[in-house]
Amino acid sequence: MKKILFVIFLSLLCLLSSCEIESGESDLLESTANEVIRCFNEDDVDALKLLFCQNTLNEAVDIEMQIENAFECYDGKSESYDFHYLGFDGCCVDGKWIDKHSTVKIKNIKTSSEKMYWITYTEYIIYDNDSGKIGIIGMSLRDENLNVIAEIG
């Protein structure tokens, strides 16, 4: 019942804000999540780094080392996972998004070593005031108890 009320609330919020959610944008978020999983499976530091926004790349202290540390904490290859996001947050002006982002959760990641993880991150797809913020701004790797075991960004 709570989920139904929450969906109704989100729908009303979108209608009242006059901003539209484009179907391709949720596909973009899912595509990014799949790429994140691929990067963790293949220890692909360079590809994961490309998903982060320019501001994070400029401001993070040794982001490549942070990524490598996250890969070291991740034991095995992903066998299954659930993609989840709660819609979009941000700001609209005159029916146009000027700031649009989502928090993505890749939940229940089961690996070949019988480990369970979650990966969470926030991704901006629109930020009119600063194009350097487009992309992932920060990411955390969590264990089966949802304790943060590595952070990137």
Side-chain angles (χ1 to χ4, degrees), residues 1 8 26 36 59-61 67 70 95 99 107-108 112-113 123:
M1 182 64 174
I8 291 170
S26 61
V36 167
E59 296 167 9
V61 177
I67 293 171
D99 165 359
K107 306 186 322 183
N108 305 317
S112 56
S113 63
E123 181 175 8

Side-chain angles (χ1 to χ4, degrees), residues 25 91 96-101 123-130 133-135:
E25 292 168 342
C91 182
K96 179 182 179 272
W97 287 96
I98 61 169
D99 165 359
K100 191 173 191 179
H101 59 276
E123 181 175 8
Y124 277 82
I125 60 170
I126 298 172
Y127 200 85
D128 283 358
N129 291 335
D130 184 359
K133 206 166 185 173
I134 305 301

Side-chain angles (χ1 to χ4, degrees), residues 55-68:
N55 290 357
T56 296
L57 295 175
N58 292 341
E59 296 167 9
V61 177
D62 202 356
I63 195 162
E64 290 178 2
M65 181 70 80
Q66 293 176 27
I67 293 171
E68 289 171 3

